[in-house]
Amino acid sequence: WPRRVHDEFLQKTSEDGRRLLTTEYDIAVGELQSADLNAVALEVPDNRRAWVVALNSGLHAFVYGFARALAATIAMAPDTGGPEHPPPLAVDEAASKVARMVRYYVHVGVPLQDDWELSDPHSHLASRVTTMAVRFVYLHEISHILLNHTSAGARHVVPLDHDEPRCLLLEHEQEHEADLLAWNLLVSVLLPERGRL
């Protein structure tokens, strides 16, 4: 899925944007199974034009599970009329499921497979939310590259606790800047029907 999103972005971006991303940068995009990251953009050592964007192989399934839990709290009525589909989960049940999924994903690095029945409209909503969310994660990492945030000076490796493994952190301002650029790219390039979700 990361490669499909990357190809879609290159296809839908402007000619100038595509030229910049394909001639100025050498970007490899793929999945990595790791409990340490959701996604990361790393500069290839000794080559300031080459980057690796790695997204956790379980991220898509994790986001879908999260979106299913959120969608399950909404009463949905079809556009064509017909019966309303009541929310299959109460908010506290969904919150409990989300908390379990987050704990499992953060500690193990793979999504917790928790399944329950959803109506077609609920499943469709969860699928659409997942599609937009994983596109946003990809664009967030591309934004770090475009904003030159992934240079060695912008990263800090710090321990989370005295007895825990170290993790890679970026400055909060850079995360916010990457979020803003990723949102703008998502809305202007990847959203269907020019901004209508």
Side-chain angles (χ1 to χ4, degrees):
W1 68 265
R3 189 68 207 178
R4 281 194 316 268
V5 173
H6 183 66
D7 291 344
E8 177 189 16
F9 180 63
L10 289 177
Q11 179 185 18
K12 290 184 175 181
T13 194
S14 69
E15 189 175 321
D16 289 340
R18 189 169 34 258
R19 189 177 314 116
L20 172 73
L21 286 167
T22 57
T23 61
E24 295 296 316
Y25 300 104
D26 183 10
I27 301 173
V29 178
E31 290 180 289
L32 180 66
Q33 188 166 354
S34 168
D36 291 340
L37 63 94
N38 291 318
V40 67
L42 294 172
E43 185 178 6
V44 174
D46 301 323
N47 186 346
R48 295 200 44 86
R49 292 184 56 249
W51 304 88
V52 174
V53 174
L55 296 113
N56 189 314
S57 60
L59 183 64
H60 193 279
F62 169 73
V63 171
Y64 182 66
F66 196 99
R68 279 175 49 85
L70 294 177
T73 65
I74 300 170
M76 303 202 52
D79 289 340
T80 58
E84 182 176 281
H85 298 276
L89 294 177
V91 172
D92 58 339
E93 291 175 293
S96 176
K97 287 183 180 296
V98 166
R100 283 183 55 232
M101 284 187 277
V102 169
R103 278 194 307 272
Y104 194 83
Y105 187 68
V106 166
H107 292 290
V108 181
V110 294
L112 178 64
Q113 301 299 319
D114 194 0
D115 205 11
W116 60 92
E117 286 295 316
L118 282 183
S119 67
D120 287 343
H122 287 102
S123 293
H124 181 72
L125 174 62
S127 180
R128 294 292 303 270
V129 168
T130 301
T131 298
M132 291 299 116
V134 297
R135 287 173 174 177
F136 178 81
V137 171
Y138 157 80
L139 289 169
H140 175 91
E141 298 308 327
I142 291 295
S143 295
H144 278 307
I145 294 169
L146 296 173
L147 294 167
N148 198 29
H149 287 171
T150 54
S151 61
R155 294 191 303 257
H156 306 281
V157 177
V158 297
L160 294 175
D161 201 335
H162 69 280
D163 62 346
E164 292 186 13
R166 299 183 313 165
C167 71
L168 189 63
L169 294 179
L170 292 171
E171 298 292 334
H172 292 290
E173 297 83 17
Q174 292 180 349
E175 290 300 311
H176 183 68
E177 288 174 1
D179 282 345
L180 290 176
L181 180 54
W183 178 257
N184 286 320
L185 291 171
L186 179 70
V187 170
S188 63
V189 178
L190 288 183
L191 273 186
E193 301 171 27
R194 287 292 173 220
R196 291 191 60 222
L197 177 56

